[in-house]
């Protein structure tokens, strides 16, 4: 596929053994709090459901993700992985993964754009049968640059909102050539990862990065999807005054009826102490908004790519730029106002220097669904046509049951009579 293969992570590090030791320590800590992956690990090691599969992944390479990667390898697969964001990789975890005989990790923190896509190409050298993506960059690379790989690919999984949006657009154009599970849209992901994971990790990272409180501050949340709901709820719980901006009238109404102030971004920006974007779209915060912001405002992205805040426009307005704190870049404007951008406008909960991503317990659920979907593709991939597919409800419920069992939580089940009633059409009032 390329004349010179991009080297794995070990070639990029000075002290590989120290990195591997520290990466394994992080993975072991996370594994203690991931009962779903632990239960699946026993099944995968015993049954080897992924024997013969070659899995190429583009994910946020940190301790929680690493336990998913190792699970797939223990299930019999050969796995390659690279990053899905240039600033979210933990090099020590990437190095620890690379020690497994069935895993090759190309993920390196801080690579430039050329290195980022070269690593994706290198991961695809495996000639994958299954892909696992977070943002759809790998699926796009296959279709645009390596269409010869399509013949051997059984299917794929997509982790995040932005990736699913891109895939659905691709599918609508008739351009998606293999089946992909929209893991992001299934309840065990959406209701927990997006709401609790994004809400808690984004706010925690911003607070730790800045050493500032939310209490009494005007926190503007751009977008009121599941991620926005989580950020708004958690910010309100820390005594912030939450303002929501939305383009969808139904979501705006929902935010209004939840008790939040709803404003257009231009009005919200003028009141903001903190602005957090959660839309997955571009140009959410732009020049007209910068012009009315208060001195010292914090700007963070909890959506996906680094295009929600128009940093090019902000750079043109600025007369000076400097690092105010680790992970905080101040843009000083001609009138003396300083607008502070966190994590270079990338995912704040993953790209900030101290970022750890979503809580371990939350990602255990999401990655449990990922693993179940990979197994489904390996066993029944031929049953799915090219296009975007919902995760089978039975798989999603199974992951929830594993989690409840681990937590010692019991719950009701339908009686046969109730189940029959729900499935019938001829029972009247």
């Amino acid at each position: 596929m390329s004349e010179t293969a991009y080297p794995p992570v070990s070639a990029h590090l000075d002290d590989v053994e120290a990195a591997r030791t520290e990466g394994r320590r992080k993975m072991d800590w996370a594994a203690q709090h991931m009962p779903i992956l632990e239960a699946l690990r026993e099944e995968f090691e015993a049954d080897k459901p992924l024997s013969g599969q070659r899995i190429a992944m583009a994910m946020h390479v940190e301790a929680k993700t690493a336990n998913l990667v190792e699970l797939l390898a223990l299930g019999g697969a050969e796995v390659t992985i690279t990053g899905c964001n240039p600033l979210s990789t933990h090099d020590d975890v990437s190095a620890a993964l690379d020690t497994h005989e069935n895993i090759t990790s190309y993920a390196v923190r801080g690579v430039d754009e050329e290195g980022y896509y070269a690593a994706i190409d290198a991961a695809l050298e495996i000639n994958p049968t299954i892909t696992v993506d977070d943002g759809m960059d790998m699926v796009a690379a296959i279709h645009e640059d390596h269409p010869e790989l399509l013949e051997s690919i059984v299917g794929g999984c997509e982790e995040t909102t932005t990736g699913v949006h891109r895939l659905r657009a691709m599918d609508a154009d008739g351009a998606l050539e293999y089946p992909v599970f929209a893991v992001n849209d299934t309840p065990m992901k959406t209701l927990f990862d997006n709401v609790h994971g994004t809400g808690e990790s984004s706010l925690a990272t911003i607070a730790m990065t800045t050493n500032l409180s939310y209490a009494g501050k005007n926190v503007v949340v751009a977008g009121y999807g599941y991620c926005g709901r989580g950020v708004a709820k958690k910010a309100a719980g820390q005594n912030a005054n939450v303002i929501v901006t939305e383009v969808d009238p139904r979501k705006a109404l929902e935010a209004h009826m939840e008790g939040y102030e709803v404003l257009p971004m231009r009005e919200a920006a003028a009141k903001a102490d903190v602005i957090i974007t959660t839309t997955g779209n571009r140009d959410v915060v732009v020049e007209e908004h910068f012009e009315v912001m208060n001195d010292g405002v914090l700007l963070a992205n909890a959506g996906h790519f680094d295009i929600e805040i128009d940093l090019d426009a902000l750079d043109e307005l600025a007369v000076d730029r400097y690092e105010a704190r680790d992970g905080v870049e101040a843009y000083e404007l001609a009138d003396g106002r300083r607008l502070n951008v966190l994590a270079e406008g990338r995912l704040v909960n993953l790209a900030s220097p101290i970022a750890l991503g979503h809580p371990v317990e939350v990602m255990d659920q999401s990655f449990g669904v990922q693993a179940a979907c990979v197994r489904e593709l390996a066993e029944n991939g031929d049953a799915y046509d090219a296009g975007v597919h919902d995760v089978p409800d039975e798989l999603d419920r199974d992951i929830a049951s594993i989690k409840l069992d681990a937590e010692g939580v019991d719950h009701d089940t339908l009686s046969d009579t109730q189940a029959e009633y729900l499935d019938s059409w001829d029972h009247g009032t």
Side-chain angles (χ1 to χ4, degrees), residues 207-257:
M208 289 187 293
T209 299
T210 63
N211 196 31
L212 298 175
S213 171
Y214 294 103
K217 286 189 170 66
N218 291 330
V219 175
V220 174
V221 180
Y224 201 68
Y226 285 103
C227 292
R229 293 170 198 167
V231 173
K233 179 179 181 179
K234 306 294 182 178
Q238 297 189 54
N239 300 321
N241 304 312
V242 176
I243 302 168
V244 171
T245 71
E246 246 301 340
V247 296
D248 187 321
R250 296 162 298 184
K251 292 179 181 178
L253 179 58
E254 181 184 9
H256 170 69
M257 295 187 71

Side-chain angles (χ1 to χ4, degrees), residues 4-5 63 84 128 133 144 163 167 176 220 268 318 322 334 351 361 372 411 420 427:
T4 303
C84 65
D133 231 337
E144 294 172 2
L167 283 166
L176 183 57
V220 174
Y322 58 91
E361 300 94 334
H411 61 96
E420 191 258 334
H427 289 293

Side-chain angles (χ1 to χ4, degrees), residues 9-10 13-25 91-93 95-96 98-99:
V9 61
S10 57
L13 303 180
D14 294 329
D15 191 340
V16 177
E17 289 307 316
R20 288 171 175 168
T21 299
E22 178 61 14
R24 173 52 61 180
R25 186 169 74 103
D91 286 340
D92 49 5
V93 172
D98 205 48
T99 62

Side-chain angles (χ1 to χ4, degrees), residues 36 40 43-44 157 181 183 186-189 365-380 384 389-403:
I36 296 172
L40 292 175
E43 294 180 23
F44 277 41
C157 302
F181 282 126
V183 173
T186 202
M188 278 297 289
K189 201 283 189 180
Q365 297 176 186
S366 295
F367 289 154
V369 177
Q370 286 278 22
C373 287
V374 169
R375 179 172 58 186
E376 173 68 8
L377 288 169
E379 295 176 348
N380 302 304
Y384 298 92
H389 293 265
D390 292 334
V391 174
D393 194 58
E394 182 179 355
L395 297 185
D396 201 58
R397 290 177 183 273
D398 286 346
I399 298 302
S401 295
I402 294 172
K403 177 69 171 182

